Amino acid sequence: MPSRTGSHSPAGTGKSLPERGLLLLMVLVLLEGSVLPLGAASSPDISHQKNVDNHKVEHEKNYTKKAFPVLDLDYHHIQTPFEISLWVLLASVMKLGFHMIPRLPGIVPESCLLITVGLLVGGLIKLAGEKVPPVLDSQLFFLCLLPPIILDAGYFLPIRPFMENLGTILMFAVVGTLWNAFFIGGLLYAVCQIQPANPSELHQLEILPCLLFGSIISAVDPVAVLAVFEEIHINELLHILVFGESLLNDAVTVVLYHLFEEYSAAGTVTVLDGFLGIISFLVVSLGGILVGAIYGILTAFTSRFTSHTRVIEPLFVFVYSYMAYLSAEMFHLSGIMALIACGAVMRPYVEANISHKSHTTIKYFLKMWSSVSETLIFIFLGVATVDGPHHWNWTFVTVTVILCLVSRVIGVVGLTCVINKFRIVKLTTKDQFIVAYGGMRGAIAFSLGFLLKKEQFPMREMFLTAIITVIFFTVFVQGMTIKPLVELLAVKKKQEAKRSINEEIHTQFLDHLLTGIEDICGHYGHHHWKDKLNRFNKKYVKKCLIAGERSKEPQLIAFYHKMEMKQAIDLVESGGGVNLPSAVPSTVSMQNIQPKKPPPAKPVEKALPKMTKGREEEIRQILRSNLQKTRQRLRSYNRHTLVADPYEDGFSELLIKKQKMIELEKKIQHMNNYLTVPAAPPDSPTMCRARLASDPQAYSSKPAADRVPTIQVDLASPQSPDSVNLMDEFRRADQQEEDQGLMMKPPSGQSGPNRPREEDRGREQQKMTRCLSDPGPSADEEEEDEPFLP
Amino acid sequence: MGFNGTSPLLDQRGELRPEDFGAIRELSMNPIGDRIISAFFSPGKETVDFASFVRILAHFHPTETSRSRDGVQPEPANSRTRKLKFAFQLYDQDRDGKISREELLQVLRTMLEMQVTEEQLQSIAERAIQEADLDQDDAISFDEFRKSLEKVDIDHKMSIRFLS
């Protein structure tokens, strides 16, 4: 990314106080009259402030004793943070507001709405006579608004599809962007030179500024792509293609931008410069990735030692990633690629090391920040549009828009012809159309244009106008129509369901199989290298970067643990308090309730002892009383340690119980549909935009539909601490040896046939430690079922 | 190291034996290497000739989607079903058409290579069968196998770009 030395003053200086008050009042109106402390800033108090200032001045001079100012107003003191908070609040409230309007989110993508809001706000500010703050200040944009989005994308990048399609993505990103830049730039120059008889301002445009403009406008923007594609839920392949392209073309953009900017003063570019440009490209991209990877490994290594300071674990992730970005920017390398590399590299190891809560924290914070950032970016885009300065030139703008479309289409089609020769699964015409249509431009292009210096580029305003027009066109027209088009063309949609253990086993099996076949053929293909990487990872890297026992845990086991844990928590949540038979964490048999289907004769695991109704009642009582208690327990914490994480300690027993509850669950589901009231259907895409894996309100459970509940559970649900404490409670309640697992209180009549099995389980659970997501670097299953990215 | 490189004796015999496969170093590191090797040999035979070798490898040719489907022609070796069938047979060593719990356990054992306890293996196998077993016979038939993999892109996954 180009240097961020913006020469723009920070927002809001130099306004007089009464006007400031008036402006803020209007913003308040926009915020639906929410009562903010800003009420104090309305006009009457402003004069009070002046008086106080005067008083203070006098006070210093003559020390005349005045009345002590009981209530004082000092706006300047807090001005900057206050305005920032106001903007953020505005963005968030807008987001809320959209979802209250009934059908709007389905038709209009959120980005459009946000830009409109930005336009409104900008208009209001201008009407008030104020100078619109240069909110899309490049410094602010590149250093504060962009990194969270990119980090979020990189951390949750689905590695497997990304790597599998890496060649295609690179082709689109590098070759496609180059083609776009030169095509647009060149043809624009040609068009500008037409009409020799009629010398217009366009004739002043040299070839190099044209090429510069072309390179700015040609890059597909990750923010815009994310915002739009998220709502249309297309299949993973297309999503990763377009999104990957938008991420990787950053390097190309950086190099081209710098190249043309440097030399547009000189006026010519020689072959040597071109050659240096290519080298520079390699340096920028590979250097960025290297910087990111180094920081990623540092983070992973640091997280190995955080077992005693769990509270600050998320901080490491965020700070190291941000530093990776800044370091890359410092050397003018590609910051975006650094962030992506950092997130992708650190993720498997960090997740194996950090606690469950930290994992949730990281996820939520990333989603939150990226969501706010994105909202702010679009609003600011609207505000900046109003700001101008604009210079509308019909020819230039329309030709730009048309050329963008045309070059994109030609580029995609042409490249696909070449790419398809090397792909196993070819890209169909429908795919190509979506890829071409999904090439949105966004705020990055605008910011780059904004960075241009007026002295060097007299046509800067014309450029900016054209950029904004293209952005508006892509976001509004393409963004709004892509959803109906996807429906119309019946493009394959994203598959929602989770991976089952079967898929995982068989996929691994097939991996081995294919590696073996490749070895027999002597063909060193995809699987061969993946296998080598896996071996290297297992042998050396994991030992360094993952703490303790987890480093030896095979991926399949980790996956299995994760699934079991999710299921366990789900069962506890759904069963806790209401339908107790299923929440009974012990060796309860349902045989007396479900007489229809005798459980098949199986090894020890399925032979559950019987239990009478009376016993059940007692259990219910115990559960109820304990549930009361647990809710009051999680009260105190100090900032340095969390309450001993129940997940880590009592979890292993949890697993055992849940094992049995799976069977109970199945049988119960057959009986009736008593299971929890299905949660409200998933909210609008924006809720999904937060990309929470499964907020309990945001998914609908499928009762009785599946044999095995493979429901995704939000592990950060507020219920879970309580639920798990429930288990903790039980554990405490019965004072048996922990090894033996939980025997129900009263313990009579339970022990006999269970003991041997419980001991078995006991041994098993020693090894089953805390279950987090898979540590394998190359086979991350999709964690959320919302659009990826996690 | 293709067919012709696997054995110096090849020119003379034109056939492969299990030992020749064993000479491939990476294959011996592969957890299911010996299963793969035995898949090349028809039950009872000790050698595999070039034609059979190629027939097996043909399963891994990329699927052609544009091929017209007339039910008359026998299904091509690299169709999705045939690929899956090949994989299925690697699980199903006794060739009874089902993957029993014991066979699944064996596969898991070889893949996980002594890093897990027996109980963990049992529970994984248990869960896998629970998920996939639709007709409740405590084993995974080919259809159930296919169904559990319906979301996986087998055409892509089980294809190698060669012989094209």
Side-chain angles (χ1 to χ4, degrees), chain A residues 307-615:
Chain A
S307 46
H308 297 290
T309 47
R310 294 264 178 223
V311 194
I312 55 173
E313 276 174 338
L315 191 67
F316 286 115
V317 172
F318 298 139
V319 171
Y320 271 116
S321 311
Y322 194 48
M323 281 185 59
Y325 181 76
L326 293 176
S327 310
E329 288 294 330
M330 183 167 69
F331 294 109
H332 279 213
L333 305 174
S334 167
I336 289 185
M337 291 176 89
L339 264 183
I340 301 285
C342 185
V345 164
M346 80 164 114
R347 186 180 179 203
Y349 308 108
V350 161
E351 288 199 343
N353 282 333
I354 60 178
S355 77
H356 189 66
K357 286 182 177 147
S358 301
H359 172 69
T360 311
T361 308
I362 291 178
K363 190 160 76 172
Y364 268 69
F365 261 83
L366 281 179
K367 301 296 184 203
M368 181 183 79
W369 274 332
S370 67
S371 180
V372 169
S373 266
E374 186 183 299
T375 316
L376 275 178
I377 287 180
F378 282 113
I379 291 186
F380 286 171
L381 210 52
V383 172
T385 309
V386 171
D387 187 15
H390 290 299
H391 182 93
W392 183 271
N393 184 305
W394 276 102
T395 326
F396 192 75
V397 172
T398 46
V399 168
T400 309
V401 174
I402 296 176
L403 277 181
C404 279
L405 287 174
V406 168
S407 79
R408 176 95 183 142
V409 170
I410 299 180
V412 168
V413 170
L415 281 176
T416 318
C417 289
V418 177
I419 290 173
N420 268 344
K421 294 200 178 68
F422 298 100
R423 280 182 67 90
I424 297 179
V425 177
K426 317 269 181 213
L427 293 175
T428 65
T429 323
K430 265 196 269 182
D431 294 337
Q432 292 172 37
F433 175 76
I434 296 290
V435 172
Y437 206 67
M440 321 240 166
R441 301 342 188 240
I444 291 185
F446 181 78
S447 304
L448 286 178
F450 209 67
L451 267 181
L452 295 174
K453 298 191 188 48
K454 182 103 171 118
E455 312 78 50
Q456 261 189 309
F457 300 96
M459 314 300 295
R460 176 176 176 265
E461 286 149 18
M462 200 167 70
F463 286 175
L464 280 180
T465 313
I467 294 176
I468 288 195
T469 315
V470 172
I471 294 179
F472 271 45
F473 183 81
T474 56
V475 172
F476 278 89
V477 174
Q478 287 180 257
M480 276 203 265
T481 54
I482 199 167
K483 193 159 185 177
L485 276 174
V486 162
E487 303 283 337
L488 193 68
L489 293 176
V491 178
K492 246 188 345 176
K493 290 285 193 107
K494 183 174 159 80
Q495 298 177 323
E496 296 294 342
K498 292 292 296 172
R499 267 170 90 104
S500 65
I501 187 89
N502 267 299
E503 274 184 33
E504 184 73 23
I505 294 178
H506 299 319
T507 319
Q508 269 207 0
F509 184 82
L510 288 177
D511 274 338
H512 287 304
L513 171 63
L514 264 288
T515 313
I517 298 286
E518 281 187 359
D519 289 331
I520 292 180
C521 301
H523 170 84
Y524 288 137
H526 187 70
H527 290 94
H528 179 89
W529 295 116
K530 202 156 79 160
D531 191 58
K532 271 211 154 68
L533 185 67
N534 273 342
R535 275 187 209 281
F536 175 72
N537 185 38
K538 210 191 314 198
K539 211 164 156 201
Y540 299 112
V541 182
K542 274 192 189 175
K543 290 219 176 71
C544 292
L545 297 181
I546 299 184
E549 272 298 307
R550 301 292 311 284
S551 61
K552 297 196 197 61
E553 194 177 56
Q555 181 189 335
L556 195 59
I557 297 292
F559 180 81
Y560 173 69
H561 282 185
K562 191 158 98 147
M563 287 192 71
E564 285 291 304
M565 177 154 139
K566 285 184 178 170
Q567 187 173 348
I569 296 190
D570 173 58
L571 281 174
V572 168
E573 280 181 356
S574 66
V578 177
N579 292 288
L580 292 175
S582 80
V584 169
S586 168
T587 60
V588 173
S589 158
M590 294 304 288
Q591 283 180 358
N592 49 354
I593 300 187
Q594 170 62 291
K596 274 184 278 185
K597 213 175 144 337
K602 286 273 182 57
V604 163
E605 318 166 82
K606 282 216 175 165
L608 305 173
K610 296 195 197 301
M611 202 160 132
T612 65
K613 292 274 187 198
R615 198 58 75 223

Side-chain angles (χ1 to χ4, degrees), chain B residues 39-99:
Chain B
F40 277 89
F41 298 91
S42 317
K45 290 185 63 177
E46 278 197 3
T47 60
V48 58
D49 61 358
F50 187 67
S52 319
F53 183 80
V54 170
R55 255 197 293 279
I56 303 282
L57 284 185
H59 283 117
F60 295 97
H61 197 72
T63 318
E64 286 138 47
T65 50
S66 55
R67 193 186 276 252
S68 66
R69 302 196 143 266
D70 51 353
V72 179
Q73 276 185 355
E75 210 170 340
N78 62 343
S79 75
R80 190 171 195 272
T81 316
R82 290 288 294 273
K83 289 186 200 269
L84 282 174
K85 190 85 184 158
F86 182 75
F88 186 79
Q89 277 164 353
L90 284 177
Y91 278 96
D92 186 18
Q93 294 286 66
D94 56 6
R95 305 200 184 234
D96 60 355
K98 290 181 184 301
I99 304 176

Side-chain angles (χ1 to χ4, degrees), chain A residues 16-91:
Chain A
S16 57
L17 291 168
E19 292 175 58
R20 160 64 64 188
L22 198 54
L23 163 68
L24 289 172
L25 203 57
M26 293 170 74
V27 174
L28 268 185
V29 167
L30 199 65
L31 286 175
E32 296 145 1
S34 48
V35 178
L36 295 175
L38 203 48
S42 52
S43 327
D45 292 330
I46 307 296
S47 45
H48 177 85
Q49 158 107 36
K50 275 190 178 147
N51 289 338
V52 172
D53 282 343
N54 291 337
H55 286 180
K56 282 200 180 127
V57 168
E58 288 175 23
H59 196 82
E60 284 160 12
K61 280 190 198 158
N62 348 352
Y63 261 71
T64 329
K65 194 157 189 274
K66 302 281 181 190
F68 188 74
V70 176
L71 189 61
D72 202 354
L73 179 75
D74 186 1
Y75 185 69
H76 277 298
H77 188 56
I78 49 136
Q79 184 172 354
T80 317
F82 195 84
E83 283 169 24
I84 296 174
S85 309
L86 210 55
W87 278 114
V88 174
L89 198 59
L90 173 71

Side-chain angles (χ1 to χ4, degrees), chain A residues 168-350:
Chain A
T168 314
I169 294 177
L170 277 177
M171 278 287 275
F172 278 127
V174 176
V175 180
T177 312
L178 279 175
W179 156 260
N180 276 348
F182 282 102
F183 186 78
I184 295 177
L187 277 190
L188 260 183
Y189 181 65
V191 165
C192 288
Q193 300 299 322
I194 296 180
Q195 309 172 331
N198 217 359
S200 75
E201 57 193 354
L202 290 179
H203 285 239
Q204 299 171 23
L205 212 47
E206 299 291 316
I207 177 78
L208 276 177
C210 272
L211 284 176
L212 178 61
F213 178 73
S215 66
I216 294 178
I217 199 99
S218 64
V220 178
D221 185 79
V223 179
V225 164
L226 262 181
V228 171
F229 268 52
E230 197 155 60
E231 301 178 3
I232 60 178
H233 296 282
I234 52 170
N235 63 54
E236 198 179 50
L237 172 68
L238 287 178
H239 196 161
I240 193 74
L241 279 183
V242 182
F243 186 65
E245 178 194 346
S246 68
L247 290 175
L248 294 186
N249 66 17
D250 183 53
V252 181
T253 313
V254 170
V255 171
L256 282 180
Y257 183 87
H258 275 234
L259 191 68
F260 291 132
E261 197 197 6
E262 281 286 315
Y263 295 123
S264 58
T268 55
V269 176
T270 64
V271 175
L272 178 65
D273 297 328
F275 188 63
L276 284 177
I278 295 177
I279 306 232
S280 166
F281 167 70
L282 288 173
V283 167
V284 161
S285 51
L286 293 176
I289 295 179
L290 189 67
V291 167
I294 292 177
Y295 274 98
I297 294 183
L298 271 179
T299 322
F301 191 66
T302 314
S303 70
R304 187 179 162 181
F305 302 108
T306 56
S307 46
H308 297 290
T309 47
R310 294 264 178 223
V311 194
I312 55 173
E313 276 174 338
L315 191 67
F316 286 115
V317 172
F318 298 139
V319 171
Y320 271 116
S321 311
Y322 194 48
M323 281 185 59
Y325 181 76
L326 293 176
S327 310
E329 288 294 330
M330 183 167 69
F331 294 109
H332 279 213
L333 305 174
S334 167
I336 289 185
M337 291 176 89
L339 264 183
I340 301 285
C342 185
V345 164
M346 80 164 114
R347 186 180 179 203
Y349 308 108
V350 161

Side-chain angles (χ1 to χ4, degrees), chain A residues 32 90-101 686:
Chain A
E32 296 145 1
L90 173 71
S92 315
V93 170
M94 281 302 121
K95 246 176 134 71
L96 286 183
F98 292 151
H99 296 289
M100 299 198 195
I101 308 174
T686 313

Side-chain angles (χ1 to χ4, degrees), chain A residues 557 763-764 767, chain B residues 114-122:
Chain A
I557 297 292
R763 247 176 292 135
E764 174 188 358
K767 314 258 180 11
Chain B
M114 304 304 161
Q115 287 162 358
V116 299
T117 63
E118 193 58 34
E119 297 88 357
Q120 281 178 315
L121 281 178
Q122 293 274 357

